[in-house]
Amino acid sequence: MAETATGVGRFKANYAVERKIEPFYKGGKAQLDQTGQHLFCVCGTRVNILEVASGTVLRSLEQEDQESITAFDLSPDDEVLVTASRALLLAQWAWQEGSVTRLWKAIHTAPVATMAFDPTSTLLATGGCDGAVRVWDIVRHYGTHHFRGSPGVVHLVAFHPDPTRLLLFSSATDAAIRVWSLQDRSCLAVLTAHYSAVTSVAFSTDGHTMLSSGRDKICIIWDLQSCQAARTVPVFESVEAAVLLPEEPVSQLGVKSPGLYFLTAGDQGTLRVWEAASGQCVYTQARPPGPGRELTHCTLARTAGLVLTTTADHNLLLYEARSLRLQKQFAGYSEEVLDVRFLGPEDSHVVVASNSPCLKVFELQTSACQILHGHTDIVLALDVFRKGWLFASCAKDQSVRIWRMNKAGQVICVAQGSGHTHSVGTVCCSRLKESFLVTGSQDCTVKLWPLPKALLSKNTAPDNGPILLQARTTQRCHDKDINSVAIAPNDKLLATGSQDRTAKLWALPQCQLLGVFSGHRRGLWCVQFSPMDQVLATASADGTIKLWALQDFSCLKTFEGHDASVLKVAFVSRGTQLLSSGSDGLVKLWTIKNNECVRTLDAHEDKVWGLHCSRLDDRALTGASDSRVILWKDVTEAEQAEEQARQEEQVVRQQELDNLLHEKRYLRALGLAISLDRPHTVLTVIQAIRRDPEACEKLEATMLRLRRDQKEALLRFCVTWNTNSRHCHEAQAVLGVLLRREAPEELLTYEGVRAALEALLPYTERHFQRLSRTLQAATFLDFLWHNMKLPVLATAPTPWETHKGALP
C-alpha cells in the first residue's frame, strides 16, 4: 500500500494542513434557532454559529473591539443577533451574512452579563454587572428604559411571553426576582423565596405561571396574578436551568396526565422530569460514569422539538424533546490534547484523548462526534490494532480499555483490565495480529494483556458489559516512569522508553531483557521500531532523536533541531524518513540518509503530544496542548507537479517574450514581463526599448498605454533598479516618463507610492552627486585641454636638406 502511495525510494518534501479540529465553545451560553438547524455559542472573543446537521462552524462573529463576548441573544424570529463585549459595546448582527448592522455603547458602567429579547423581537433587555437593567428598541435604535435597584450583578433577564403585558423579570445576586412594568417604568413586585442565585425562569403558555430554578436546590412555581409562590419543589441538586415541557402527554418521560411538568439540569449531570402539582420526579436519565458531567446550561427549542444541554467539560448534547434520546454530540473544547489516532480500515475517523476521562471520536468526512465514557480519570494514551476497528486506551485510573468501532461508526467499550498500581501512561497494540497489547505505567512495570477469543468474534456484543482482561506477564523494566512502549512489526520484540534516560529491548512474550540503549542526556518520551530495518528510534527531552541498531545496541545517528523536548517520533516513506513533534510546537520531517531536516511544520502553539500516520502514508495527524487536532496531507507530488508546470509555463512565456522583443512589439513585451512579476525581465525589456534609435518616444508611448496596476508594478520595480548604479538609468527614464506625463494628484493615489518615493530619493540623490562629480571632472579636463600651451619644437633638418646645402 505504502509503495503505491509514496513510490519506492521517493522522499516526502512537505505536508500541508488539510483540516483542523479546533475549539468552538469554552463555556457560557449556548442557543438554538427555532428550526434547530443552527447552534450559537461563545468562544472567547467570538460567537460561533454551527450547522447542527454537519457539526461544522459556518461562521465566527467577532466585534471590532476584539474583546471577549460577555453576553448574546438571538431574536425569537431568528433574524437578529445581538452581542455584548467587555468593551461595553453592543453589536447588532445580520448573522446570516456575518455583517454588523449597528454598533452602539451599552451605557452600562460595567460589562453586560445577560440579555434577552421580547416575544416580538423588537425590544432587548440587558442586565449589567453594575446592577442596572436597560431596555432597547432594536427597530428604532434608542434606549427606552433604565431600571435601577438591583444589588450587584444582574445575571438574569426575561420578558413575559405576552407582549401586551409589557413585563420584564430580572434577578441579581440577592436571589430575588424583580418584576418591572415597562408601562409604569417601575418595579411592580420583588419575589423572594430563593436562598441562592436564581439560574433560570420559564413561563407557562397561558402566561399565568412562572417557574424559577436556583442553586439552592429548589424550583419554585409562581402565580403571576398574585405574585406569590404557589409551590416549592425540592430537587436535591444545584439546578443550572429548568425548562417547562409542552403540556401534552409523553409516556416515555412519565408525563401521563395533563398539567405542568418541567425538566431540570444541574450538577448531578442528568436530565430529570418533575410533576409541578405533586413535586414528584417522574423520569431520571441514566448518568454516564466519570467526572465533568455536570450540566451547566439547558434550553428547549419548541418548534424543532430539541433540548440542548452543555456540560462542565464543554460538550454540547442535543436530545429529542419527547423522548430525551440523544441525537447529536459536539465537543466544544478539548483543553490539552494528549494523544490522537486514525480509526477504521480507511482512516475515516480519528479518536482524540484530551485532558478528560472522555474520548472523542470524529468522523472526518462529516465532522460528526461521538463522546465515549468509561474511564474515570484522564486518558493518557491510545493505540489502534492493525485492521483499524479495535483500539485501546489507558488512563490515570490505572486501567486499560479496548473499544470497537462498527461499520456505522458507533464505538462501544468491549474489554477492560486493571492491575497497575499507578497511572498507565502508554499502550501499544500487537502489529501482526489482534492478539495482545502491552501497557507501561508510572509504577515502572509493563504488562502484557492477551485478547480473549470472544473479543475477536465480530458478532460479540458485550451484553453484560466489557470483558475483563487478565495480564499474562508483568515485568519491572525501569527505575522511573515508563513513558513509551513499542512492539516490533513481527510481534517478537518490545522496546520501552523511560524517564531514567534509557531505552530497553525485551523478548516477547516472556519480557526477557535483551539489551539497553544508553546515550540520551534526559528522559525518553517515545520509542518506535522501523517498519523495514532492524532499527529503533528514540525521542528524548534532551531535544534529540537517536537511531539505534538492534543487533549491537549502538547509536547509528543523532538528529538535532528541536529547541525543546521531542515528544513523539514516527517512521514514514517506508522507513527512510522520520516525523517528529516537540514541546516547541513544531513538527519536523527528517531524511535519515543525510540527517537533514527537510521541512518544519508550524501550526501548533504548544506542546505536540500526539502524532500518528495513516496506513497509506499520505496523511499525518497531530494533537497538541493548544486544544487543536490538525490533519496534514502529503503534498510532495502535488507541489512537484505544480513546480514542473510552473517551469514549463515560464519557458513558454520566456520564448514568447523573446519573440515580442525581436518583433519590437514593446507594449505586449512589457505587459507580459510585468505579469510574470520578474523585475529583471522587465528591466531587460526597458533596456531593449532604450536601445532603439527613437528610445524616448518609444518608451513614453509604451508606458502611457499601460494599465494603472502595471504602472504601479513598474514604480515598485524602479525602487529595486535604482539601488544599482548599472540600472539606475532605466529607473530614472521610467520615473521621468511618470513624472512628466502623470498628474501629481494621480501619482499620489498609486498603491505604495509614498514608500517608493522614500526609497527612491536617497539613491537618486547619490546618483546625481556621482554625475555631478563626473561632470566636474570632465569640465576640468576640458579646461586643461584648452589651456595647454605646447612649445613649438625646432625641426631638425633632414639628411637630404643637409646634403643639398653642401652642393656648389
PDB file of all heavy atoms in Angstrom, residues 14-20 342 579 585-587 600-604 608 610-612 614 618-623 629-635:
ATOM      1  N   ASN A  14       7.046  17.791   1.821  1.00  0.00           N
ATOM      2  CA  ASN A  14       6.219  18.771   2.533  1.00  0.00           C
ATOM      3  C   ASN A  14       4.852  18.188   2.864  1.00  0.00           C
ATOM      4  O   ASN A  14       4.350  17.304   2.180  1.00  0.00           O
ATOM      5  CB  ASN A  14       6.035  20.030   1.672  1.00  0.00           C
ATOM      6  CG  ASN A  14       5.549  21.209   2.476  1.00  0.00           C
ATOM      7  OD1 ASN A  14       5.542  21.179   3.702  1.00  0.00           O
ATOM      8  ND2 ASN A  14       5.136  22.260   1.799  1.00  0.00           N
ATOM      9  N   TYR A  15       4.288  18.708   3.952  1.00  0.00           N
ATOM     10  CA  TYR A  15       2.898  18.431   4.327  1.00  0.00           C
ATOM     11  C   TYR A  15       2.163  19.766   4.383  1.00  0.00           C
ATOM     12  O   TYR A  15       2.750  20.796   4.710  1.00  0.00           O
ATOM     13  CB  TYR A  15       2.820  17.782   5.708  1.00  0.00           C
ATOM     14  CG  TYR A  15       3.217  16.323   5.764  1.00  0.00           C
ATOM     15  CD1 TYR A  15       4.539  15.939   5.933  1.00  0.00           C
ATOM     16  CD2 TYR A  15       2.252  15.318   5.678  1.00  0.00           C
ATOM     17  CE1 TYR A  15       4.903  14.604   6.011  1.00  0.00           C
ATOM     18  CE2 TYR A  15       2.602  13.981   5.750  1.00  0.00           C
ATOM     19  CZ  TYR A  15       3.926  13.624   5.915  1.00  0.00           C
ATOM     20  OH  TYR A  15       4.276  12.302   5.994  1.00  0.00           O
ATOM     21  N   ALA A  16       0.867  19.730   4.105  1.00  0.00           N
ATOM     22  CA  ALA A  16       0.025  20.928   4.221  1.00  0.00           C
ATOM     23  C   ALA A  16      -1.178  20.609   5.092  1.00  0.00           C
ATOM     24  O   ALA A  16      -1.624  19.460   5.151  1.00  0.00           O
ATOM     25  CB  ALA A  16      -0.436  21.391   2.840  1.00  0.00           C
ATOM     26  N   VAL A  17      -1.689  21.627   5.767  1.00  0.00           N
ATOM     27  CA  VAL A  17      -2.854  21.425   6.643  1.00  0.00           C
ATOM     28  C   VAL A  17      -4.072  21.140   5.774  1.00  0.00           C
ATOM     29  O   VAL A  17      -4.444  21.932   4.913  1.00  0.00           O
ATOM     30  CB  VAL A  17      -3.104  22.667   7.522  1.00  0.00           C
ATOM     31  CG1 VAL A  17      -4.384  22.508   8.324  1.00  0.00           C
ATOM     32  CG2 VAL A  17      -1.920  22.914   8.442  1.00  0.00           C
ATOM     33  N   GLU A  18      -4.692  19.983   5.999  1.00  0.00           N
ATOM     34  CA  GLU A  18      -5.894  19.623   5.254  1.00  0.00           C
ATOM     35  C   GLU A  18      -7.151  19.967   6.049  1.00  0.00           C
ATOM     36  O   GLU A  18      -8.162  20.384   5.497  1.00  0.00           O
ATOM     37  CB  GLU A  18      -5.888  18.121   4.941  1.00  0.00           C
ATOM     38  CG  GLU A  18      -7.073  17.667   4.134  1.00  0.00           C
ATOM     39  CD  GLU A  18      -7.057  16.174   3.835  1.00  0.00           C
ATOM     40  OE1 GLU A  18      -6.028  15.518   4.093  1.00  0.00           O
ATOM     41  OE2 GLU A  18      -8.077  15.661   3.356  1.00  0.00           O
ATOM     42  N   ARG A  19      -7.065  19.833   7.366  1.00  0.00           N
ATOM     43  CA  ARG A  19      -8.251  20.023   8.207  1.00  0.00           C
ATOM     44  C   ARG A  19      -7.817  20.330   9.631  1.00  0.00           C
ATOM     45  O   ARG A  19      -6.801  19.831  10.087  1.00  0.00           O
ATOM     46  CB  ARG A  19      -9.039  18.709   8.146  1.00  0.00           C
ATOM     47  CG  ARG A  19     -10.164  18.559   9.098  1.00  0.00           C
ATOM     48  CD  ARG A  19     -11.487  18.947   8.442  1.00  0.00           C
ATOM     49  NE  ARG A  19     -12.514  18.959   9.457  1.00  0.00           N
ATOM     50  CZ  ARG A  19     -13.151  17.866   9.868  1.00  0.00           C
ATOM     51  NH1 ARG A  19     -12.883  16.709   9.320  1.00  0.00           N
ATOM     52  NH2 ARG A  19     -14.068  17.949  10.810  1.00  0.00           N
ATOM     53  N   LYS A  20      -8.588  21.160  10.323  1.00  0.00           N
ATOM     54  CA  LYS A  20      -8.326  21.448  11.734  1.00  0.00           C
ATOM     55  C   LYS A  20      -9.580  21.178  12.552  1.00  0.00           C
ATOM     56  O   LYS A  20     -10.679  21.546  12.133  1.00  0.00           O
ATOM     57  CB  LYS A  20      -7.929  22.922  11.933  1.00  0.00           C
ATOM     58  CG  LYS A  20      -6.535  23.272  11.468  1.00  0.00           C
ATOM     59  CD  LYS A  20      -6.218  24.720  11.806  1.00  0.00           C
ATOM     60  CE  LYS A  20      -4.820  25.111  11.322  1.00  0.00           C
ATOM     61  NZ  LYS A  20      -4.489  26.496  11.682  1.00  0.00           N
ATOM     62  N   PHE A 342      -5.697   7.580  14.022  1.00  0.00           N
ATOM     63  CA  PHE A 342      -6.652   7.295  12.949  1.00  0.00           C
ATOM     64  C   PHE A 342      -7.414   6.024  13.306  1.00  0.00           C
ATOM     65  O   PHE A 342      -6.848   5.101  13.904  1.00  0.00           O
ATOM     66  CB  PHE A 342      -5.921   7.069  11.625  1.00  0.00           C
ATOM     67  CG  PHE A 342      -5.430   8.328  10.965  1.00  0.00           C
ATOM     68  CD1 PHE A 342      -4.082   8.665  10.994  1.00  0.00           C
ATOM     69  CD2 PHE A 342      -6.310   9.163  10.295  1.00  0.00           C
ATOM     70  CE1 PHE A 342      -3.620   9.817  10.368  1.00  0.00           C
ATOM     71  CE2 PHE A 342      -5.854  10.324   9.669  1.00  0.00           C
ATOM     72  CZ  PHE A 342      -4.512  10.648   9.707  1.00  0.00           C
ATOM     73  N   LEU A 579       9.127  11.552  11.092  1.00  0.00           N
ATOM     74  CA  LEU A 579       8.338  12.705  11.514  1.00  0.00           C
ATOM     75  C   LEU A 579       8.490  12.819  13.018  1.00  0.00           C
ATOM     76  O   LEU A 579       8.384  11.814  13.735  1.00  0.00           O
ATOM     77  CB  LEU A 579       6.859  12.525  11.177  1.00  0.00           C
ATOM     78  CG  LEU A 579       6.319  13.101   9.870  1.00  0.00           C
ATOM     79  CD1 LEU A 579       4.833  12.785   9.753  1.00  0.00           C
ATOM     80  CD2 LEU A 579       6.531  14.594   9.761  1.00  0.00           C
ATOM     81  N   GLY A 585       6.166  23.041  19.843  1.00  0.00           N
ATOM     82  CA  GLY A 585       5.008  23.221  18.974  1.00  0.00           C
ATOM     83  C   GLY A 585       5.286  22.930  17.511  1.00  0.00           C
ATOM     84  O   GLY A 585       4.430  23.149  16.659  1.00  0.00           O
ATOM     85  N   LEU A 586       6.479  22.418  17.198  1.00  0.00           N
ATOM     86  CA  LEU A 586       6.870  22.170  15.807  1.00  0.00           C
ATOM     87  C   LEU A 586       6.789  20.687  15.459  1.00  0.00           C
ATOM     88  O   LEU A 586       7.011  19.821  16.314  1.00  0.00           O
ATOM     89  CB  LEU A 586       8.288  22.668  15.555  1.00  0.00           C
ATOM     90  CG  LEU A 586       8.557  24.155  15.832  1.00  0.00           C
ATOM     91  CD1 LEU A 586      10.029  24.474  15.608  1.00  0.00           C
ATOM     92  CD2 LEU A 586       7.683  25.032  14.948  1.00  0.00           C
ATOM     93  N   VAL A 587       6.495  20.420  14.197  1.00  0.00           N
ATOM     94  CA  VAL A 587       6.573  19.066  13.642  1.00  0.00           C
ATOM     95  C   VAL A 587       7.649  19.112  12.565  1.00  0.00           C
ATOM     96  O   VAL A 587       7.621  19.990  11.695  1.00  0.00           O
ATOM     97  CB  VAL A 587       5.222  18.626  13.051  1.00  0.00           C
ATOM     98  CG1 VAL A 587       5.341  17.245  12.428  1.00  0.00           C
ATOM     99  CG2 VAL A 587       4.139  18.626  14.121  1.00  0.00           C
ATOM    100  N   THR A 600       9.974  21.977   8.333  1.00  0.00           N
ATOM    101  CA  THR A 600       9.444  22.239   9.673  1.00  0.00           C
ATOM    102  C   THR A 600       8.029  22.766   9.530  1.00  0.00           C
ATOM    103  O   THR A 600       7.804  23.758   8.831  1.00  0.00           O
ATOM    104  CB  THR A 600      10.324  23.261  10.426  1.00  0.00           C
ATOM    105  OG1 THR A 600      11.637  22.714  10.586  1.00  0.00           O
ATOM    106  CG2 THR A 600       9.745  23.552  11.797  1.00  0.00           C
ATOM    107  N   LEU A 601       7.086  22.080  10.159  1.00  0.00           N
ATOM    108  CA  LEU A 601       5.672  22.439  10.067  1.00  0.00           C
ATOM    109  C   LEU A 601       5.271  23.167  11.345  1.00  0.00           C
ATOM    110  O   LEU A 601       5.392  22.617  12.437  1.00  0.00           O
ATOM    111  CB  LEU A 601       4.813  21.186   9.880  1.00  0.00           C
ATOM    112  CG  LEU A 601       5.254  20.240   8.746  1.00  0.00           C
ATOM    113  CD1 LEU A 601       4.451  18.963   8.785  1.00  0.00           C
ATOM    114  CD2 LEU A 601       5.102  20.920   7.390  1.00  0.00           C
ATOM    115  N   ASP A 602       4.793  24.381  11.184  1.00  0.00           N
ATOM    116  CA  ASP A 602       4.478  25.221  12.345  1.00  0.00           C
ATOM    117  C   ASP A 602       3.004  25.619  12.295  1.00  0.00           C
ATOM    118  O   ASP A 602       2.641  26.591  11.639  1.00  0.00           O
ATOM    119  CB  ASP A 602       5.374  26.469  12.337  1.00  0.00           C
ATOM    120  CG  ASP A 602       5.198  27.310  13.587  1.00  0.00           C
ATOM    121  OD1 ASP A 602       4.460  26.872  14.496  1.00  0.00           O
ATOM    122  OD2 ASP A 602       5.785  28.398  13.666  1.00  0.00           O
ATOM    123  N   ALA A 603       2.162  24.847  12.976  1.00  0.00           N
ATOM    124  CA  ALA A 603       0.735  25.182  13.005  1.00  0.00           C
ATOM    125  C   ALA A 603       0.182  25.118  14.424  1.00  0.00           C
ATOM    126  O   ALA A 603      -0.925  25.578  14.667  1.00  0.00           O
ATOM    127  CB  ALA A 603      -0.054  24.235  12.101  1.00  0.00           C
ATOM    128  N   HIS A 604       0.941  24.525  15.337  1.00  0.00           N
ATOM    129  CA  HIS A 604       0.519  24.437  16.738  1.00  0.00           C
ATOM    130  C   HIS A 604       1.204  25.546  17.553  1.00  0.00           C
ATOM    131  O   HIS A 604       2.273  26.032  17.188  1.00  0.00           O
ATOM    132  CB  HIS A 604       0.880  23.074  17.328  1.00  0.00           C
ATOM    133  CG  HIS A 604       0.017  21.958  16.821  1.00  0.00           C
ATOM    134  ND1 HIS A 604      -1.306  21.815  17.173  1.00  0.00           N
ATOM    135  CD2 HIS A 604       0.290  20.919  15.986  1.00  0.00           C
ATOM    136  CE1 HIS A 604      -1.801  20.734  16.582  1.00  0.00           C
ATOM    137  NE2 HIS A 604      -0.861  20.185  15.849  1.00  0.00           N
ATOM    138  N   VAL A 608       3.211  19.437  21.211  1.00  0.00           N
ATOM    139  CA  VAL A 608       2.530  18.493  20.316  1.00  0.00           C
ATOM    140  C   VAL A 608       2.717  17.084  20.901  1.00  0.00           C
ATOM    141  O   VAL A 608       3.733  16.433  20.681  1.00  0.00           O
ATOM    142  CB  VAL A 608       3.095  18.573  18.881  1.00  0.00           C
ATOM    143  CG1 VAL A 608       2.300  17.667  17.949  1.00  0.00           C
ATOM    144  CG2 VAL A 608       3.057  20.009  18.373  1.00  0.00           C
ATOM    145  N   GLY A 610       0.539  14.407  20.482  1.00  0.00           N
ATOM    146  CA  GLY A 610       0.040  13.310  19.651  1.00  0.00           C
ATOM    147  C   GLY A 610       0.529  13.396  18.225  1.00  0.00           C
ATOM    148  O   GLY A 610       0.525  14.470  17.620  1.00  0.00           O
ATOM    149  N   LEU A 611       0.964  12.254  17.686  1.00  0.00           N
ATOM    150  CA  LEU A 611       1.421  12.175  16.287  1.00  0.00           C
ATOM    151  C   LEU A 611       1.126  10.780  15.771  1.00  0.00           C
ATOM    152  O   LEU A 611       1.486   9.788  16.405  1.00  0.00           O
ATOM    153  CB  LEU A 611       2.925  12.467  16.204  1.00  0.00           C
ATOM    154  CG  LEU A 611       3.616  12.244  14.852  1.00  0.00           C
ATOM    155  CD1 LEU A 611       3.102  13.219  13.809  1.00  0.00           C
ATOM    156  CD2 LEU A 611       5.130  12.372  14.984  1.00  0.00           C
ATOM    157  N   HIS A 612       0.429  10.688  14.636  1.00  0.00           N
ATOM    158  CA  HIS A 612       0.111   9.381  14.058  1.00  0.00           C
ATOM    159  C   HIS A 612       0.043   9.519  12.547  1.00  0.00           C
ATOM    160  O   HIS A 612      -0.396  10.555  12.029  1.00  0.00           O
ATOM    161  CB  HIS A 612      -1.239   8.879  14.599  1.00  0.00           C
ATOM    162  CG  HIS A 612      -1.511   7.436  14.289  1.00  0.00           C
ATOM    163  ND1 HIS A 612      -2.742   6.972  13.870  1.00  0.00           N
ATOM    164  CD2 HIS A 612      -0.698   6.357  14.328  1.00  0.00           C
ATOM    165  CE1 HIS A 612      -2.664   5.655  13.689  1.00  0.00           C
ATOM    166  NE2 HIS A 612      -1.440   5.263  13.948  1.00  0.00           N
ATOM    167  N   SER A 614      -1.107   7.823   8.692  1.00  0.00           N
ATOM    168  CA  SER A 614      -2.153   6.979   8.109  1.00  0.00           C
ATOM    169  C   SER A 614      -1.548   5.721   7.486  1.00  0.00           C
ATOM    170  O   SER A 614      -0.340   5.619   7.287  1.00  0.00           O
ATOM    171  CB  SER A 614      -2.927   7.771   7.055  1.00  0.00           C
ATOM    172  OG  SER A 614      -2.075   8.115   5.984  1.00  0.00           O
ATOM    173  N   ASP A 618       0.016   8.785   3.498  1.00  0.00           N
ATOM    174  CA  ASP A 618      -0.194  10.038   2.759  1.00  0.00           C
ATOM    175  C   ASP A 618      -0.742  11.154   3.635  1.00  0.00           C
ATOM    176  O   ASP A 618      -0.875  12.289   3.188  1.00  0.00           O
ATOM    177  CB  ASP A 618      -1.136   9.804   1.568  1.00  0.00           C
ATOM    178  CG  ASP A 618      -2.502   9.307   2.012  1.00  0.00           C
ATOM    179  OD1 ASP A 618      -2.620   8.826   3.156  1.00  0.00           O
ATOM    180  OD2 ASP A 618      -3.455   9.386   1.206  1.00  0.00           O
ATOM    181  N   ARG A 619      -1.052  10.826   4.896  1.00  0.00           N
ATOM    182  CA  ARG A 619      -1.573  11.845   5.808  1.00  0.00           C
ATOM    183  C   ARG A 619      -0.977  11.629   7.200  1.00  0.00           C
ATOM    184  O   ARG A 619      -0.537  10.529   7.544  1.00  0.00           O
ATOM    185  CB  ARG A 619      -3.105  11.782   5.890  1.00  0.00           C
ATOM    186  CG  ARG A 619      -3.782  12.210   4.610  1.00  0.00           C
ATOM    187  CD  ARG A 619      -5.284  12.343   4.772  1.00  0.00           C
ATOM    188  NE  ARG A 619      -5.929  11.081   5.079  1.00  0.00           N
ATOM    189  CZ  ARG A 619      -7.220  10.952   5.354  1.00  0.00           C
ATOM    190  NH1 ARG A 619      -7.994  12.021   5.364  1.00  0.00           N
ATOM    191  NH2 ARG A 619      -7.736   9.778   5.616  1.00  0.00           N
ATOM    192  N   ALA A 620      -0.965  12.684   7.968  1.00  0.00           N
ATOM    193  CA  ALA A 620      -0.488  12.610   9.351  1.00  0.00           C
ATOM    194  C   ALA A 620      -1.465  13.376  10.231  1.00  0.00           C
ATOM    195  O   ALA A 620      -2.154  14.292   9.776  1.00  0.00           O
ATOM    196  CB  ALA A 620       0.920  13.191   9.481  1.00  0.00           C
ATOM    197  N   LEU A 621      -1.504  13.000  11.499  1.00  0.00           N
ATOM    198  CA  LEU A 621      -2.436  13.583  12.455  1.00  0.00           C
ATOM    199  C   LEU A 621      -1.640  14.054  13.663  1.00  0.00           C
ATOM    200  O   LEU A 621      -0.803  13.312  14.188  1.00  0.00           O
ATOM    201  CB  LEU A 621      -3.458  12.520  12.864  1.00  0.00           C
ATOM    202  CG  LEU A 621      -4.679  12.942  13.656  1.00  0.00           C
ATOM    203  CD1 LEU A 621      -5.580  13.838  12.814  1.00  0.00           C
ATOM    204  CD2 LEU A 621      -5.452  11.717  14.113  1.00  0.00           C
ATOM    205  N   THR A 622      -1.865  15.288  14.101  1.00  0.00           N
ATOM    206  CA  THR A 622      -1.175  15.801  15.289  1.00  0.00           C
ATOM    207  C   THR A 622      -2.189  16.421  16.242  1.00  0.00           C
ATOM    208  O   THR A 622      -3.194  16.983  15.817  1.00  0.00           O
ATOM    209  CB  THR A 622      -0.123  16.871  14.926  1.00  0.00           C
ATOM    210  OG1 THR A 622      -0.764  17.927  14.195  1.00  0.00           O
ATOM    211  CG2 THR A 622       1.012  16.284  14.104  1.00  0.00           C
ATOM    212  N   GLY A 623      -1.908  16.300  17.535  1.00  0.00           N
ATOM    213  CA  GLY A 623      -2.739  16.908  18.566  1.00  0.00           C
ATOM    214  C   GLY A 623      -1.838  17.554  19.594  1.00  0.00           C
ATOM    215  O   GLY A 623      -0.784  17.014  19.942  1.00  0.00           O
ATOM    216  N   VAL A 629      -6.478  19.731  16.933  1.00  0.00           N
ATOM    217  CA  VAL A 629      -6.103  18.494  16.236  1.00  0.00           C
ATOM    218  C   VAL A 629      -5.996  18.864  14.760  1.00  0.00           C
ATOM    219  O   VAL A 629      -6.941  19.416  14.189  1.00  0.00           O
ATOM    220  CB  VAL A 629      -7.156  17.386  16.445  1.00  0.00           C
ATOM    221  CG1 VAL A 629      -6.804  16.154  15.636  1.00  0.00           C
ATOM    222  CG2 VAL A 629      -7.265  17.033  17.927  1.00  0.00           C
ATOM    223  N   ILE A 630      -4.842  18.587  14.166  1.00  0.00           N
ATOM    224  CA  ILE A 630      -4.602  19.005  12.773  1.00  0.00           C
ATOM    225  C   ILE A 630      -4.331  17.771  11.907  1.00  0.00           C
ATOM    226  O   ILE A 630      -3.530  16.900  12.271  1.00  0.00           O
ATOM    227  CB  ILE A 630      -3.420  19.995  12.680  1.00  0.00           C
ATOM    228  CG1 ILE A 630      -3.759  21.279  13.439  1.00  0.00           C
ATOM    229  CG2 ILE A 630      -3.089  20.325  11.229  1.00  0.00           C
ATOM    230  CD1 ILE A 630      -2.684  22.328  13.419  1.00  0.00           C
ATOM    231  N   LEU A 631      -5.035  17.710  10.792  1.00  0.00           N
ATOM    232  CA  LEU A 631      -4.826  16.661   9.802  1.00  0.00           C
ATOM    233  C   LEU A 631      -3.939  17.226   8.697  1.00  0.00           C
ATOM    234  O   LEU A 631      -4.280  18.243   8.084  1.00  0.00           O
ATOM    235  CB  LEU A 631      -6.177  16.209   9.239  1.00  0.00           C
ATOM    236  CG  LEU A 631      -6.150  15.104   8.186  1.00  0.00           C
ATOM    237  CD1 LEU A 631      -5.675  13.792   8.790  1.00  0.00           C
ATOM    238  CD2 LEU A 631      -7.536  14.914   7.571  1.00  0.00           C
ATOM    239  N   TRP A 632      -2.803  16.564   8.488  1.00  0.00           N
ATOM    240  CA  TRP A 632      -1.836  17.021   7.484  1.00  0.00           C
ATOM    241  C   TRP A 632      -1.893  16.099   6.268  1.00  0.00           C
ATOM    242  O   TRP A 632      -2.042  14.885   6.403  1.00  0.00           O
ATOM    243  CB  TRP A 632      -0.415  16.983   8.042  1.00  0.00           C
ATOM    244  CG  TRP A 632      -0.187  17.795   9.279  1.00  0.00           C
ATOM    245  CD1 TRP A 632      -0.399  17.406  10.562  1.00  0.00           C
ATOM    246  CD2 TRP A 632       0.297  19.136   9.346  1.00  0.00           C
ATOM    247  NE1 TRP A 632      -0.080  18.418  11.426  1.00  0.00           N
ATOM    248  CE2 TRP A 632       0.353  19.492  10.709  1.00  0.00           C
ATOM    249  CE3 TRP A 632       0.687  20.070   8.392  1.00  0.00           C
ATOM    250  CZ2 TRP A 632       0.787  20.737  11.136  1.00  0.00           C
ATOM    251  CZ3 TRP A 632       1.124  21.308   8.812  1.00  0.00           C
ATOM    252  CH2 TRP A 632       1.169  21.638  10.164  1.00  0.00           C
ATOM    253  N   LYS A 633      -1.727  16.684   5.094  1.00  0.00           N
ATOM    254  CA  LYS A 633      -1.722  15.905   3.859  1.00  0.00           C
ATOM    255  C   LYS A 633      -0.360  16.013   3.188  1.00  0.00           C
ATOM    256  O   LYS A 633       0.215  17.102   3.120  1.00  0.00           O
ATOM    257  CB  LYS A 633      -2.814  16.428   2.918  1.00  0.00           C
ATOM    258  CG  LYS A 633      -2.981  15.591   1.657  1.00  0.00           C
ATOM    259  CD  LYS A 633      -4.110  16.129   0.805  1.00  0.00           C
ATOM    260  CE  LYS A 633      -4.323  15.263  -0.431  1.00  0.00           C
ATOM    261  NZ  LYS A 633      -5.405  15.800  -1.281  1.00  0.00           N
ATOM    262  N   ASP A 634       0.147  14.885   2.709  1.00  0.00           N
ATOM    263  CA  ASP A 634       1.414  14.883   1.979  1.00  0.00           C
ATOM    264  C   ASP A 634       1.195  15.543   0.612  1.00  0.00           C
ATOM    265  O   ASP A 634       0.432  15.031  -0.214  1.00  0.00           O
ATOM    266  CB  ASP A 634       1.899  13.432   1.804  1.00  0.00           C
ATOM    267  CG  ASP A 634       3.192  13.344   1.003  1.00  0.00           C
ATOM    268  OD1 ASP A 634       3.832  14.391   0.812  1.00  0.00           O
ATOM    269  OD2 ASP A 634       3.558  12.232   0.571  1.00  0.00           O
ATOM    270  N   VAL A 635       1.826  16.691   0.411  1.00  0.00           N
ATOM    271  CA  VAL A 635       1.623  17.444  -0.835  1.00  0.00           C
ATOM    272  C   VAL A 635       2.878  17.433  -1.706  1.00  0.00           C
ATOM    273  O   VAL A 635       3.025  18.263  -2.594  1.00  0.00           O
ATOM    274  CB  VAL A 635       1.199  18.904  -0.532  1.00  0.00           C
ATOM    275  CG1 VAL A 635      -0.186  18.944   0.084  1.00  0.00           C
ATOM    276  CG2 VAL A 635       2.214  19.598   0.377  1.00  0.00           C
TER     277      VAL A 635
END
